[in-house]
Structures are given as C-alpha cells and as structure tokens.
Amino acid sequence: MIRIKAGVPRRPRPRTRARRPLRRALALGLPTVWGAMAITYKLTCPLAQQNSLGARIVTSAVFFAVGTGLIVQVRRSLLRELRQIRQIAGAAQNALLRPLPPRLDGLNIAAAQLSAERGAVVGGDLYEVIATEHGVRVVMGDVRGHGIAAIGTVAAVLGSFREAAHDEPDLAGVLRRLERALARHLRERARAEHPASGGLDPDSPVAEEFVTVLLLEIGGDGEISALNCGHPWPYLLSGGGVRALARADPLPPLGPFPLPAELPFVCCGQLLPGEALFLYTDGAEDVRDARGRFFPLKDALAEVVGQHPLPIPQSVLGSVFSALLRHTGGTPTDDVAMLVVRNDRKAACPHLGARGSDISGSAAGARPATTHPHSTNYPQHNGV
C-alpha cells in the first residue's frame, strides 16, 4: 500500500557535529591522496618513463585505479548528501501533509497519496480531517498542476483550513477563509515572479491557478453536510453497494471566480455505523492504461465492497491503489489522493446500521442527498 511516510528520526546533535569535520576532511583528503599518488607515480617511478607495452599497461592500470577511486569517492559523497536531502524533504512534506490519526471521534480513517513527481511524497493534492466542536470536518482538494510546483498552494490552503475549521461555526465561513488564503497566496506568488507588476495581473499564468475543494462536516449523529467547489463527489460504501454521496452540481473551483454571496450547502443524509465515505481526487478516475481506457474506480470499489461488506479503510485503499497501478502499469501521470472515513460509532437506535438494498436512493431504506432549508436546489450532477 502506498502511504505517507512517518517522520524521520533525528540523530543526536553532538554526534552529528562531531562527525562533520571528519567527513569534510575525508571528502577533501581522499581525492587529494589519489591525485598525489598518480602524479608521484608518473614523475618518480622509472616504469612510468618507459614506452614499452608492459610499461604502458602498468601505467594505464595505475591511472584506471586512481580514476575509479575518485569516482567511487565522489559517488559516495553525492549519495550521502542525497540521503540527507531526502530526509529533510520527507520531514518537510510530512509536516505539510501530516499523517492522519487512525481513529478520530469514533471514525476510522485511512488516507494515501501518490505524487506524479518522482521522488516527491506531496504533490498537488491535499486532505485533512479535524475534530472540532462543530463536528468532524474534512477537506479534500486538488491544485491545478501536479508535483513540487503545486506544494506552495497546498500549504496555503491546508494552513487556512486547519485554523478555520476550529474558528468558523459553519462550512460557508471555512470556505470563504480558504478563498481569501488562496487569493493572498496567488498575489504574493505573482509579486515574487513578476515584481514589476505590483500585483496579480489578469494576463499572468498565476491568475489561471485554481483549486477544487470539497468540504464535509460529519455531526455526532452522522449527519453529513457538504460544500463542493468543482471537486468529484465522494462515494458511499455500505453493505448495499457503492453510490455517489450526492448528485448536486458543484460550485466553480476556487481561484478564477469569486464565491457567490450565498453559499448553500448540501445535506447528504447520515453516515450510518459501519458505512464509509471514499473521497478522492480526479487523478483516480482520469488515469488511463496503454489503450487509453480510464480507470474504472466505481467498479474497483464495488469489487472491494462485494468481498468485504463492512469496508475496512486500509484494505479499501490497498485494493484500489493496487488496481490503479496495475491499470497504469505502475506509472500514473497525475497526482492521486484517496481518503476513507468509516463510521465506527455505536448506533443510537436499533434500526440504524443498514440501508435498503437499492443503492440508487429510491428504496425506503436509502437516504438520498437533500439540500438544507436555507440552500437552493441544484440540478442533477453527472460529473461523478
């Protein structure tokens, strides 16, 4: 299973400082010794002054050994520096997209991400789950582009969410905080890249940046509220099968257009005990195989649920990621992030715990998504 690596253990500082002078001396001294040996042999050894075939072979062997030693020493130094850089980068990336706790307020959580940028743990996808006094709040987002270039935008959006999730009493306030943080980040980035512009030029490539964002709030009774800005709706996994959590058209992504004055959120029913939500970024559905076919994400989830009616978050992620890598031949071209949240709370009533067998929302046991009384009705969404 692909997962976010844990933090890198730190070495004791006194020991590290004590080794630094020795490493520097070895890094500079060994190449000098090899070079001195080669020059000494060429100037002082009588064999090196001869032109016979045997003397030439010996001289070539000496310089080959010297060259090999230099290459090995340089390679060892570069590998050591590369390991240190990877450790620092891994620690920084884990601080940005920190590993989620396995359990949070009665919810079982598992998340994983695969970056399209080789050597990077964090790409253009973001997620976070936070328990607040208003309920458990979840964000899943996707920054335009992928890889290391998108990390700055991920940091701006995630940092704002981690503060706003606790401060704002409703999801609308959280979303507006994310919009302001993104706008501020893009202005600062535009000034850094084009100091003469003095701000965010509409013709600048930075002005075309956007982030799709899905905000969820799961109450103590399992009631789910959502605000969606251009992001795929999650799937609901239950013993009855797999279905989209909602069918409402999302708002535009954050960035290109301002948010409307009214932000109606969608009431998505209850997450019953034993049920799970599968959140993902569009890289999980847009990846193609060698024949150009898209990855059948819903079919992969249905296969997992068919084998395990009680979805286990870690098993779901492992199965889906394995199927995705088989589909792409192990080389996805876009960042992929997945998050599974299962309700492990005890049922408040004896009849809770199972939905109707019809997962389309038409059966009596199913609870289709509805809109809040203060929200407006959306048309049917067909983009999932």
Side-chain angles (χ1 to χ4, degrees):
M1 187 180 85
I2 301 171
R3 64 183 65 183
I4 301 297
K5 295 182 180 179
V8 180
R10 298 178 180 177
R11 296 179 180 178
R13 290 185 178 180
R15 186 178 179 183
T16 303
R17 291 177 179 176
R19 288 183 175 182
R20 285 179 182 174
L22 178 60
R23 288 178 179 176
R24 291 176 181 175
L26 291 176
L28 296 175
L30 289 180
T32 304
V33 171
W34 282 110
M37 290 174 58
I39 294 173
T40 301
Y41 168 80
K42 185 64 178 176
L43 295 178
T44 62
C45 182
L47 189 62
Q49 312 301 325
Q50 299 180 12
N51 293 324
S52 63
L53 179 61
R56 291 178 180 177
I57 293 176
V58 173
T59 301
S60 298
V62 170
F63 280 92
F64 177 78
V66 170
T68 302
L70 287 173
I71 292 173
V72 171
Q73 178 61 26
V74 171
R75 181 177 180 273
R76 290 181 61 184
S77 300
L78 292 177
L79 287 177
R80 182 167 56 248
E81 292 180 5
L82 179 61
R83 282 194 298 267
Q84 293 175 350
I85 292 172
R86 284 182 173 176
Q87 288 177 354
I88 296 172
Q93 292 179 117
N94 276 285
L96 172 60
L97 196 62
R98 58 196 181 195
L100 299 178
R103 295 185 64 84
L104 188 67
D105 196 18
L107 303 178
N108 194 328
I109 302 171
Q113 184 188 15
L114 177 63
S115 176
E117 191 83 10
R118 186 176 181 182
V121 177
V122 178
D125 297 337
L126 59 98
Y127 55 79
E128 182 64 283
V129 183
I130 299 177
T132 72
E133 60 180 328
H134 315 291
V136 176
R137 289 180 167 175
V138 183
V139 64
M140 174 69 80
D142 189 358
V143 177
R144 178 179 179 267
H146 62 269
I148 297 177
I151 290 181
T153 306
V154 171
V157 175
L158 272 182
S160 177
F161 174 78
R162 287 165 180 163
E163 291 292 330
H166 292 282
D167 297 340
E168 299 295 333
D170 52 51
L171 288 181
V174 176
L175 186 60
R176 294 194 185 279
R177 290 272 292 271
L178 299 187
E179 181 189 37
R180 291 196 295 270
L182 176 62
R184 184 167 54 251
H185 167 73
L186 294 181
R187 286 195 302 269
E188 294 173 353
R189 179 177 162 186
R191 281 196 295 266
E193 295 180 0
H194 307 282
S197 64
L200 187 58
D201 186 356
D203 297 329
S204 171
V206 179
E208 300 177 358
E209 297 292 327
F210 64 86
V211 182
T212 66
V213 173
L214 173 67
L215 292 179
L216 296 180
E217 182 177 289
I218 305 175
D221 57 354
E223 193 72 23
I224 306 173
S225 301
L227 273 175
N228 191 346
C229 292
H231 200 83
W233 285 105
Y235 285 110
L236 178 66
L237 313 182
S238 65
V242 179
R243 71 172 178 86
L245 180 65
R247 299 179 183 274
D249 274 340
L251 298 167
L254 295 181
F257 307 101
L259 290 173
E262 296 292 333
L263 291 177
F265 59 87
V266 180
C267 293
C268 304
Q270 281 186 308
L271 182 66
L272 301 180
E275 293 181 337
L277 291 177
F278 181 87
L279 292 79
Y280 62 98
T281 55
D282 59 5
E285 285 186 323
D286 294 345
V287 293
R288 305 191 186 197
D289 61 7
R291 299 170 59 183
R293 296 174 300 181
F294 291 104
F295 176 63
L297 177 60
K298 188 173 181 179
D299 294 341
L301 289 172
E303 182 179 354
V304 175
V305 173
Q307 297 174 354
H308 305 283
L310 181 63
I312 302 174
Q314 293 78 6
S315 299
V316 172
L317 288 181
S319 300
V320 174
F321 256 117
S322 298
L324 186 145
L325 292 177
R326 287 195 303 269
H327 182 81
T328 61
T331 56
T333 57
D334 195 5
D335 298 329
V336 178
M338 302 178 188
L339 171 65
V340 183
V341 179
R342 188 183 70 186
N343 187 357
D344 283 354
R345 298 165 180 167
K346 294 182 179 179
C349 300
H351 68 278
L352 295 179
R355 294 185 187 272
S357 57
D358 185 356
I359 62 172
S360 64
S362 60
R367 293 173 174 82
T370 59
T371 54
H372 190 265
H374 298 289
S375 66
T376 57
N377 292 327
Y378 288 114
Q380 184 174 353
H381 175 60
N382 298 318
V384 178

